[in-house]
DNA sequence: TTGTATGCGTTATCAC
DNA sequence: GTGATAACGCATACAA
């Protein structure tokens, strides 16, 4: 075996390694390792000496080496459809906060709402021996997706009846919207939905609540875009059957609805009340400020991270369900 | 030395390793490695055989091992003030797209606009032997910050006169706004700024352009929040010296300006024209839709990633300066 | 309390 | 074209 210090030049050239610290401190690398994992017993004097030399050399233990020997990295893999979507950004913040407290960080990948790239992303993350994984709004079959060899936490509406991680109680959100609109005295209410099961659940809660007082609602289908909100609202207005409130499955679409109403010369909330969904930052900036069903994205992200941490530690995890909240703003009022 | 295959159970338990593939294929691990780095000469038949067994075992080379021996990981460290800020999200998307093409991914950290946590984040990333680093809107002294041992690409307005990476030509943005407002026939123009050098540069370009036609502008100071935009606009309106256009340093503040104008019963754009800055997604959703100076965030992110890649490959990098673009919408028109 | 020695999964340098 | 084998930087079981 070659002299452990013989290649110190190489090592130095890419930052000081554990060996330089050991050599200068007059101890073995094992002791240095112990100091930095402040686990076992190290003589206070020795520890001081090592720490001092480490500081002088600017030594930091390499995560690469540490993770390799541990067989698991200190990274959490995160797959998100699109980082630039505001709600996902919030979730990421929540995740990061929890992770930082454990000295871990996020390895980021985007799925672009595409099954194939989602799968590729997952495999890529797996190669890095991530300690855990979180997938936001996966497009895959929840039951079969997690490629294998590790468990993922899903942040997504319930599907396939599979327990999976964290979700929002979308039905409760729908009920919240209906309840508020009814409370305000609205009676001719419409729902504007979008593809995906979130929308289905929101609508179910909404119509259930209306049915309790013997009301039904008309419905239109959009695609979460502003434009589709405008179109849907226009269609609703055109058949002239009367409309005094509309519940929209997303804030972006709601922005389109507000515009259509305004173009038509209708006042919000006087003539028509509007309730959005998500409470994206945007909601508070629209004119009039949009009443919306708040999805606690940051908290949901944090919860997902905590579940993932539990899973890493070998504990069992259960699905945690978040309750949405009604945020009253200017777009709703009595007629 | 123990039999290399003696610990195959351990290895298998955490996913198949290079050794199982080698053993089953009847070749040495060196050959397997060669197959997956499709570099050197491997007999086509051998390659086929190895690939087949690898697929059957679900083998993927471990990034941990690979990065360790290479002394550098395939991760790019990214420090961003706040992931949930829309413009940063766009940049991240741009960065990711470029990185994916190289099979690299993003190691994410947040600075929360705080010097101390920014430094900690950088050190944390460094421990992971990141191949490169990008810092968005660093709070540090550009000249001294990059801790040491590696070079970072900064995405930030020019400061300290240090070349650093990618930036937006904020002065040009200011000129663009002024030019448009003048072209439309506006003459009583105000600027609403905010702390930081971006705002200073935007204002400089703006006033320069006004000066060319012998005009000056009034100014107010906000802090990029909607509320501050409202206050600034109200202050502008109250001293009654006339106002027919306002250039605002950020879209969020511009939203506040629109609201203040509306509350005052002034029509936009008929009475007062408004130009924002950034062209955040929000801009197109306000009422009226906001004319704004577009900051090509996605392209800037991509450029930063490309510069970082160049740096990793040992090439020199130069600062790349992006030109903003005027996006005309409903908030501007002739008086 | 400390040192020695081994192995983590991979790449790369030599031989053959 | 292929196989040994030495690193890579670290943690840890075991010996001292």
């Amino acid at each position: 075996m070659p002299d452990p210090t013989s290649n110190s030049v190489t090592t130095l050239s890419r930052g000081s390694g554990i060996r330089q610290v050991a050599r200068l401190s007059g101890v073995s690398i094992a002791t240095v390792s112990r100091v930095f994992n402040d686990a076992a017993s190290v003589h206070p004097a020795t520890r001081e000496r090592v720490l001092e030399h480490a500081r002088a050399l600017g030594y930091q233990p390499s995560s690469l080496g540490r993770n390799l020997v541990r067989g698991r990295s200190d990274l959490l893999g995160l797959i998100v459809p699109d980082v630039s979507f505001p709600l996902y950004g919030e979730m990421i913040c929540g995740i990061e906060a929890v992770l930082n407290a454990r000295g871990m960080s996020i390895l980021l990948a985007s799925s672009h709402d595409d099954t194939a790239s989602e799968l590729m992303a997952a495999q890529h993350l797996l190669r890095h021996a991530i300690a855990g994984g979180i997938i936001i709004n996966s497009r895959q079959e929840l039951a079969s997706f997690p490629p294998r060899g590790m468990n993922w936490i899903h942040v997504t509406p319930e599907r396939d009846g599979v327990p999976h991680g964290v979700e929002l109680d979308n039905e409760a959100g729908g009920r919240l919207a209906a309840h508020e609109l009814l409370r305000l005295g609205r009676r001719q209410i419409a729902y504007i939905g979008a593809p995906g099961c979130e929308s289905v659940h929101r609508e179910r809660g909404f119509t259930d609540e209306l049915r309790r007082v013997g009301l039904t609602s008309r419905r239109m289908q959009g695609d979460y875009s502003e434009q589709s909100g405008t179109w849907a609202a226009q269609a609703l207005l055109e058949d002239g059957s009367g409309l005094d409130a509309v519940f929209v499955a997303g804030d972006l679409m709601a922005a389109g609805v507000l515009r259509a109403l305004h173009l038509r010369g209708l006042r919000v909330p006087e003539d028509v009340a509007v309730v959005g969904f998500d409470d994206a930052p945007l909601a508070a900036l629209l004119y009039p400020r949009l009443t919306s069903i708040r999805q606690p994205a940051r908290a949901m992200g944090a919860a997902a991270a905590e579940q993932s941490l539990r899973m890493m530690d070998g504990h069992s995890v259960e699905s945690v369900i978040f309750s949405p909240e009604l945020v009253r703003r200017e777009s709703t009022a009595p007629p």
Side-chain angles (χ1 to χ4, degrees), chain A residues 183-211:
Chain A
R183 187 184 72 82
L184 292 172
R186 306 288 171 164
R187 289 299 177 268
Q188 301 184 296
I189 313 183
Y191 175 71
I192 300 181
C197 48
E198 297 97 322
S199 172
V200 172
H201 294 166
R202 288 165 196 177
E203 181 172 14
R204 186 183 307 149
F206 184 69
T207 52
D208 279 0
E209 193 73 11
L210 289 189
R211 189 161 30 232

Side-chain angles (χ1 to χ4, degrees), chain A residues 122 126 135 140-152 154:
Chain A
L126 250 16
I135 304 191
Q140 319 277 346
E141 298 295 315
L142 260 36
S144 65
F145 173 59
R148 49 174 266 177
M150 89 157 285
N151 294 311
W152 297 77
H154 284 265

Side-chain angles (χ1 to χ4, degrees), chain A residues 15-307:
Chain A
S16 344
I18 198 176
R19 279 195 280 268
Q20 347 299 329
V21 180
R23 192 161 42 83
L24 264 68
S25 313
V27 298
S28 72
I29 62 167
T31 299
V32 177
S33 173
R34 286 186 191 105
V35 168
F36 279 91
N37 293 287
D38 51 19
S41 43
V42 174
H43 192 91
T46 316
R47 169 189 302 277
E48 244 352 280
R49 196 151 30 93
V50 169
L51 247 24
E52 196 171 326
H53 285 110
R55 198 148 24 82
L57 284 160
Y59 168 76
Q60 297 277 107
S62 150
S63 298
L64 249 43
R66 171 176 295 182
N67 292 337
L68 179 60
V69 65
R70 288 195 179 150
R72 178 218 256 189
S73 94
D74 57 350
L75 267 28
L76 178 137
L78 175 61
I79 302 183
V80 55
D82 178 355
V83 200
S84 65
F85 191 70
L87 224 56
Y88 298 148
E90 300 262 342
M91 287 186 185
I92 299 180
C93 285
I95 295 173
E96 217 218 350
V98 172
L99 251 39
N100 276 356
R102 285 266 287 239
M104 300 185 54
S105 23
I106 296 182
L107 194 51
L108 189 66
S110 295
S111 68
H112 305 293
D113 268 324
D114 170 63
T115 313
S117 36
E118 183 170 295
L119 192 60
M120 278 188 47
Q123 286 172 334
H124 185 90
L125 296 181
L126 250 16
R127 264 187 232 119
H128 283 269
I130 48 173
I134 297 180
I135 304 191
I136 299 181
N137 274 0
S138 170
R139 292 306 244 211
Q140 319 277 346
E141 298 295 315
L142 260 36
S144 65
F145 173 59
R148 49 174 266 177
M150 89 157 285
N151 294 311
W152 297 77
I153 298 290
H154 284 265
V155 180
T156 176
E158 176 208 3
R159 278 188 356 235
D160 319 336
V162 183
H164 48 270
V166 359
E167 68 177 286
L168 183 76
D169 188 343
N170 283 294
E171 277 200 38
R175 285 196 299 272
L176 235 38
H179 187 265
E180 175 71 0
L181 257 15
L182 291 173
R183 187 184 72 82
L184 292 172
R186 306 288 171 164
R187 289 299 177 268
Q188 301 184 296
I189 313 183
Y191 175 71
I192 300 181
C197 48
E198 297 97 322
S199 172
V200 172
H201 294 166
R202 288 165 196 177
E203 181 172 14
R204 186 183 307 149
F206 184 69
T207 52
D208 279 0
E209 193 73 11
L210 289 189
R211 189 161 30 232
R212 288 187 46 206
V213 296
L215 254 37
T216 61
S217 69
R218 292 151 69 204
R219 91 178 300 283
M220 295 296 303
Q221 180 80 348
D223 61 6
Y224 285 121
S225 72
E226 187 211 5
Q227 187 61 260
S228 74
T230 301
W231 285 336
Q234 282 168 346
L236 244 21
L237 260 20
E238 259 156 33
D239 76 1
S241 36
L243 181 77
D244 66 5
V246 36
F247 171 43
V248 194
D251 287 344
L252 202 52
M253 280 202 297
V257 171
L258 291 183
R259 188 167 299 267
L261 260 19
H262 188 268
L263 258 41
R264 196 76 169 213
L266 292 167
R267 295 164 306 163
V268 176
E270 293 83 352
D271 301 324
V272 180
V274 178
V275 175
F277 207 104
D278 282 350
D279 192 31
L282 153 74
L285 300 168
L286 294 175
Y287 188 81
R289 299 188 198 271
L290 183 69
T291 293
S292 191
I293 305 297
R294 176 164 172 70
Q295 177 160 8
R298 204 182 211 88
M300 289 173 70
E306 269 154 12
Q307 291 294 72

Side-chain angles (χ1 to χ4, degrees), chain A residues 8 305 308:
Chain A
S8 53
S308 188

